[in-house]
Each structure stands twice: as structure tokens, then as C-alpha cells.
């Protein structure tokens, strides 16, 4: 007789690993059994959205809902993961967020009021004193986020794989999912080696989500990002955490640049956050865009007090986002045995330990213990009609 898993997670990026870990951790409480995770490539591969050495975490957002979720992630799930992993994954460093007067900056200023003293609003002169690497030539003000940190991304993915396996998750790599369907009794997952049967499934397939959940195709767009690593003419010791901040420029018309300290490889990391007007092929490998690297370098030369002297390297990653950049964290309406986590690129890594818990709880019982999520649950629904 074919074995039935209690849950199968499709996708072994940071969200899928976190979801599998929480499913195994919470399983006994819900009478659950085995958890299987399927990854099309190898865990930690560089074709998706979870690779690389570093990410940003912060409380500074333009939405009170996301500020609350970030607060919950920092207070509950990052500490839990670091405890279970037995290693630090967040490296505290100041958060520096700035931009010209306009709607984007005003939205951030409004939302971060609920963060209290965790996020300070500074005038430009004080911003320059606290963040001496930056000129702030067009900034109206500067936000200093005291909750910010650099996330050791590769370490986090490895840690999640380790704690998930320790919790009893079976990690099955190089197992692409070819088809997914659900009936009244089970979910049926088609792979090259056969059909896997499970009581429930959670799809965390990133840029390949629409292939398995075609209902989401009109909502999700894939945008390949170019990320650069830049050598700056400044003392090396001033470019690493906690001396150098994680930062973002909050410009007009959704113009957003961001950057991180040097960590795990040569050069400070910087990129332009660009998710609109594109729909790239997730299966097509492309090199970093030279024109985009030049654009980022020009921006850094405008904003930093020390010039960029070389580009040390570059990489690409895939963003998959909804038009509003809201996440989808919901059961499939017509197939409630299937839960979907999608559209998180550009923001998802920092929330991953908490998002994994949300998806696990939704899959197990359709209700969660995350108050910040329940307050805003409507914006994360599969259907927003």
C-alpha cells in the first residue's frame, strides 16, 4: 500500500525549509505524522531567491502590517531558530533608511510610528553624524532602525535544513514536481519517480509557483535582479557589521536602492529593487546585467562619501511578486488541502522563520497563533475579491 505522508512541502528555499521545520515541530500537537520536503535541485542552489551570503532584516516598512510582522519575527521566531540551530544568524548592525520628501517617505514615516523607539527619525545633520559613510544629498530625513541586522543568508538556509532534518523532516533533493492535484482524500504529487500521496501540501516553489498553481499565474510576475559587490575607498574595518549599516533609499515612483555591509565575500552589497514591468523566465539562466551594475555604481557614487573603486563581483536572483508586493499565505480555495506561500521575493527572507510558522499553522488547522498575521490576514489571501 502506498505510504501517505502527513504533509509534503514543495520547494527547499528558505520559506519551504522554515515551513517544513514548523510542520514537524507542531505536528505532535495536531496529531500529524511524517513531513517530506521536495526540492527540484540541491538545497542552497543559486537559481532561485534564497542563495547568497546576506540579507537585510528591519522593522522599517511602509505598512503597519509588515512592521507588526517584523516585530513578531524578531521577538519570536528568529530567536527560536537561532536557539535550535545553536548559532547566531542575525548580525546586528544599524538600519539607515532615507529618501526625498514624497509619498514613499511619508508612508514609511507613518507606519513606523507603531515601532516606538525602535525606529528614530533624524534630521539630515544627525543622520550624517550617525552614518558618516553617507552624504544624503537629497534626503528629507533619515530613519535609524535599531532592530536592523544583517541576516547570514547561506548560514540560515543551512541551519533550517539541519533543524528540519533533526525534527524528522525527510529532505529529498533533485526531485522536481511535475504535477499537483488534490481530491477529497489526499494530495497527489507527481514526480519522475512516481506519485507521492499526502494529507496536505504546502507549495513554496518561488518563481516556479505558477507552474504548479496556475490559478496564481495572473497574479505573480518574475523579475530577475542584478546584485553587485563594490569595493569602496574606505577603511575595510568600517565596511563590516556593526560599523556599516544596512540601508535603503526610498525614492519616488517605487525607486528603491538598498545595500548591506561587506560579509562573506569582498565588497559591500548593493542593488536596485525592481519588480514591475517584467516577467522573466525562471528557467533561463542569465548573467548579471552590466547596465544595471553601472546604474547602481552611479547611485553609490552620488550617495556615499567614499567613491567606488571597483566592482568585485555580481550575481542574479529571482524576485517573484504580486502587483502590490503583498504575500500570498493561504489555502487554495478550491483545494483546501493545498496551502500556498508565494510572492515574497524582495521581502520574504527576513520574515521566513515566522512565515514558515504561519504556513504550517494554516496548513494544519487554517488558523494561526500569530496575532500580527491574523490582524492583516485579508491582504495575504489567495483571492482579494
Amino acid at each position: 500500500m502506498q505510504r501517505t505522508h502527513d504533509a509534503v512541502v514543495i520547494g527547499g528555499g528558505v520559506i519551504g525549509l522554515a515551513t517544513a521545520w514548523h510542520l514537524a515541530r507542531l505536528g505532535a500537537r495536531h496529531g500529524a505524522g511524517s513531513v517530506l520536503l521536495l526540492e527540484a535541485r540541491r538545497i542552497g542552489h543559486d537559481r532561485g531567491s534564497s542563495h547568497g551570503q546576506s540579507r537585510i532584516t528591519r522593522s522599517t516598512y511602509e505598512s503597519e502590517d509588515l512592521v507588526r510582522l517584523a516585530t513578531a519575527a524578531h521577538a519570536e521566531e528568529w530567536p527560536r531558530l537561532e536557539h535550535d540551530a545553536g548559532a547566531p544568524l542575525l548580525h546586528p548592525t544599524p538600519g539607515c533608511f532615507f529618501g526625498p520628501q514624497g509619498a514613499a517617505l511619508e508612508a514609511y514615516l507613518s507606519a513606523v510610528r507603531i515601532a516606538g523607539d525602535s525606529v528614530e527619525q533624524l534630521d539630515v545633520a544627525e543622520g550624517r553624524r550617525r552614518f558618516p559613510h553617507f552624504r544624503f544629498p537629497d534626503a528629507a530625513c533619515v530613519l535609524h532602525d535599531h532592530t536592523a541586522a544583517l541576516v547570514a543568508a547561506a548560514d540560515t538556509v543551512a541551519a533550517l535544513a539541519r533543524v528540519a532534518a533533526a525534527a524528522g523532516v525527510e529532505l529529498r533533493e533533485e526531485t522536481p514536481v511535475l504535477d499537483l492535484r488534490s481530491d477529497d482524500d489526499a494530495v497527489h504529487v507527481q514526480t519522475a519517480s512516481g506519485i507521492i500521496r499526502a494529507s496536505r501540501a504546502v507549495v513554496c516553489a518561488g518563481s516556479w509557483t505558477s507552474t504548479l498553481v496556475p490559478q496564481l499565474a495572473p497574479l505573480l510576475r518574475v523579475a530577475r535582479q542584478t546584485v553587485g559587490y563594490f569595493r569602496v575607498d574606505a577603511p575595510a574595518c568600517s565596511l563590516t557589521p556593526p560599523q556599516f549599516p544596512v540601508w535603503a533609499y526610498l525614492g519616488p515612483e517605487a525607486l528603491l536602492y538598498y545595500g548591506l555591509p561587506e560579509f562573506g565575500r569582498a565588497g559591500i552589497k548593493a542593488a536596485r529593487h525592481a519588480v514591475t514591468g517584467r516577467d522573466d523566465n525562471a528557467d533561463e539562466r542569465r548573467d548579471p546585467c552590466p547596465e544595471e551594475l553601472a546604474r547602481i555604481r552611479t547611485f553609490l557614487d552620488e550617495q556615499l562619501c567614499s567613491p567606488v573603486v571597483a566592482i568585485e563581483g555580481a550575481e542574479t536572483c529571482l524576485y517573484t511578486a504580486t502587483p502590490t508586493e503583498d504575500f500570498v499565505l493561504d489555502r487554495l480555495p478550491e483545494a483546501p488541502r493545498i496551502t500556498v506561500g508565494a510572492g515574497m521575493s524582495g521581502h520574504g527572507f527576513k520574515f521566513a522563520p515566522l512565515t514558515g510558522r504561519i504556513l504550517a499553522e494554516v496548513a494544519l488547522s487554517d488558523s494561526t497563533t500569530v496575532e500580527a498575521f491574523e490582524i492583516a490576514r485579508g491582504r495575504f489571501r489567495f483571492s482579494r475579491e
Side-chain angles (χ1 to χ4, degrees):
M1 181 177 294
Q2 185 186 44
R3 178 187 181 190
T4 299
H5 295 272
D6 184 75
V8 60
V9 177
I10 302 170
V14 67
I15 304 297
L17 287 167
T19 301
W21 170 50
H22 281 291
L23 281 166
R25 187 181 66 80
L26 298 170
R29 184 186 310 168
H30 292 268
S34 63
V35 179
L36 171 65
L37 180 140
L38 303 175
E39 165 54 46
R41 294 178 173 84
R42 302 289 294 181
I43 290 172
H45 70 83
D46 66 354
R47 297 294 297 277
S49 308
S50 294
H51 59 283
Q53 293 296 318
S54 60
R55 296 291 192 279
I56 296 172
T57 188
R58 51 173 165 136
S59 296
T60 301
Y61 262 103
E62 75 284 10
S63 155
E64 291 186 8
D65 295 331
L66 295 181
V67 174
R68 293 189 188 96
L69 283 175
T71 300
H74 293 154
E76 300 172 32
E77 295 309 325
W78 279 109
R80 189 199 307 274
L81 177 56
E82 289 183 315
H83 175 270
D84 284 12
L89 301 171
L90 301 186
H91 298 268
T93 200
C96 173
F97 302 92
F98 58 97
Q101 193 67 50
L105 181 64
E106 288 301 321
Y108 278 82
L109 292 173
S110 177
V112 299
R113 292 192 180 102
I114 68 170
D117 295 338
S118 295
V119 181
E120 279 186 272
Q121 181 179 342
L122 313 175
D123 61 33
V124 172
E126 178 63 14
R128 289 174 179 147
R129 189 186 73 80
R130 294 197 195 182
F131 302 106
H133 287 94
F134 288 83
R135 295 175 52 240
F136 303 122
D138 62 346
C141 66
V142 178
L143 294 173
H144 182 171
D145 189 332
H146 296 277
T147 75
L150 180 149
V151 182
D155 292 346
T156 297
V157 170
L160 280 166
R162 190 168 64 250
V163 299
V169 177
E170 179 186 351
L171 304 175
R172 196 175 297 177
E173 299 173 294
E174 297 180 336
T175 308
V177 172
L178 307 177
D179 190 35
L180 175 67
R181 60 185 179 85
S182 175
D183 57 31
D184 291 340
D185 299 320
V187 175
H188 306 272
V189 182
Q190 177 72 58
T191 71
S193 57
I195 294 177
I196 296 166
R197 178 184 168 97
S199 297
R200 55 185 62 82
V202 185
V203 179
C204 302
S207 298
W208 294 269
T209 298
S210 295
T211 303
L212 299 174
V213 188
Q215 301 92 322
L216 269 178
L219 192 62
L220 297 179
R221 289 292 179 270
V222 177
R224 185 174 278 98
Q225 310 290 298
T226 290
V227 178
Y229 295 84
F230 300 87
R231 178 157 33 108
V232 177
D233 186 16
C237 62
S238 73
L239 300 174
T240 57
Q243 286 75 27
F244 194 87
V246 297
W247 60 270
Y249 173 83
L250 317 171
E253 299 179 359
L255 178 64
L256 191 151
Y257 286 88
Y258 67 92
L260 302 88
E262 185 170 306
F263 182 85
R265 59 179 294 174
I268 62 169
K269 179 178 179 179
R272 182 172 64 102
H273 178 93
V275 298
T276 59
R278 301 165 62 184
D279 191 15
D280 290 325
N281 183 347
D283 290 311
E284 181 180 344
R285 184 184 281 275
R286 291 186 183 176
D287 293 330
C289 174
E291 292 79 13
E292 184 67 7
L293 287 171
R295 184 182 293 114
I296 299 164
R297 181 173 184 166
T298 297
F299 178 82
L300 291 176
D301 282 334
E302 292 170 354
Q303 297 292 332
L304 296 179
C305 296
S306 302
V308 173
V309 295
I311 299 176
E312 294 284 1
E315 62 191 6
T316 64
C317 70
L318 296 176
Y319 275 11
T320 308
T322 64
T324 60
E325 297 191 49
D326 285 332
F327 309 159
V328 177
L329 306 169
D330 198 14
R331 288 186 176 188
L332 192 56
E334 64 271 29
R337 289 182 178 272
I338 299 173
T339 299
V340 180
M344 289 171 268
S345 293
H347 304 285
F349 208 108
K350 66 181 68 62
F351 297 108
L354 182 69
T355 305
R357 173 179 154 195
I358 290 168
L359 288 169
E361 291 183 348
V362 169
L364 290 168
S365 66
D366 200 30
S367 62
T368 80
T369 58
V370 181
E371 182 180 3
F373 172 72
E374 294 297 334
I375 288 172
R377 190 164 184 176
R379 72 183 293 175
F380 303 118
R381 292 282 188 188
F382 192 96
S383 172
R384 297 182 176 88
E385 296 178 358

